[in-house]
Amino acid sequence: GAMGIALGTMVANLSAHKRGWDDKWEEFSDWAAKGLNYQNTLLDLVDEDTNAFNTVMDANRLPSNSDEEKIAKRKTVLAANKYAIEIPLEAAELSLSVLEIANELVKKGNPNSVSDVGVSGEVALAAVRGACMNVLINLSGVKDKRYTNRKKKQVDELLNEASKLERKIFHQTLKIIEG
């Protein structure tokens, strides 16, 4: 996701400074600023996802010798698993936003940089899919079916929307490249 928005931000900056596009400078500068914010957040989420994984591992190592320890461990494991679901879900949602920006840039950005927008869409789709896989694998650690069904539905919607956007970006990119 961070790589995708880095490419999108680059294209926004190149478009903002394209000769003859002075009237579009503010729009592209706004996308570049938003992109940098997304990139920083996505990079932070990489570390946060590592923390979430470590939290799950630590929770599963808690002792469970007494009834009290078993109850405490069960609660801690549940909280850790939900944390390990919410972090990649946030990354998937933000990576979908990267695709939304790429979809705008492929239509409005500097056509000389359109292949970079196409690559932005490809890697942003990979980010959405990868983050969604992390959500799905962690759902098995939560027995609350209402919660897991809600998260599974969110994942399905994210994957569907991301795939649709990537296809639009890809086809528009090829159309511009092939003239």
Side-chain angles (χ1 to χ4, degrees):
M3 178 70 73
I5 197 58
L7 287 165
T9 299
M10 180 187 73
V11 171
N13 281 320
L14 290 169
S15 299
H17 297 290
K18 183 173 171 44
R19 188 171 301 172
W21 283 23
D22 296 339
D23 60 325
K24 299 178 184 184
W25 184 86
E26 190 172 333
E27 178 182 14
F28 288 115
S29 293
D30 289 346
W31 280 338
K34 185 185 281 190
L36 184 58
N37 183 40
Y38 285 4
Q39 182 179 1
N40 290 332
T41 302
L42 284 161
L43 290 172
D44 289 343
L45 286 171
V46 171
D47 292 333
E48 199 63 28
D49 191 60
T50 300
N51 291 337
F53 174 79
N54 290 334
T55 300
V56 170
M57 297 303 290
D58 292 344
N60 282 306
R61 291 186 188 117
L62 290 172
S64 57
N65 299 317
S66 69
D67 287 342
E68 291 163 345
E69 286 179 340
K70 288 176 185 175
I71 291 168
K73 180 177 181 175
R74 204 170 27 246
K75 287 180 181 179
T76 304
V77 167
L78 176 61
N81 282 324
K82 285 186 174 183
Y83 177 49
I85 290 165
E86 296 302 327
I87 296 303
L89 190 58
E90 184 179 346
E93 290 168 342
L94 195 51
S95 295
L96 178 62
S97 297
V98 171
L99 280 158
E100 291 166 350
I101 289 174
N103 190 46
E104 289 301 312
L105 287 171
V106 77
K107 293 183 261 183
K108 299 177 182 177
N110 187 337
N112 295 325
S113 303
V114 73
S115 61
D116 293 311
V117 177
V119 175
S120 172
E122 296 299 313
V123 296
L125 176 61
V128 171
R129 287 179 172 171
C132 286
M133 285 188 262
N134 284 339
V135 170
L136 293 172
I137 199 164
N138 289 315
L139 287 177
S140 65
V142 178
K143 292 181 179 20
D144 178 351
K145 288 297 175 195
R146 259 195 332 246
Y147 176 86
T148 58
N149 287 341
R150 193 170 63 247
K151 296 304 172 183
K152 175 74 169 85
K153 184 179 179 193
Q154 281 181 270
V155 163
D156 290 344
E157 289 169 357
L158 282 165
L159 290 171
N160 185 43
E161 185 62 26
S163 293
K164 281 195 260 184
L165 276 172
E166 181 278 333
R167 279 191 303 275
K168 282 183 185 178
I169 295 162
F170 180 74
H171 291 296
Q172 185 67 25
T173 299
L174 290 181
K175 184 178 174 183
I176 292 168
I177 289 172
E178 294 171 351

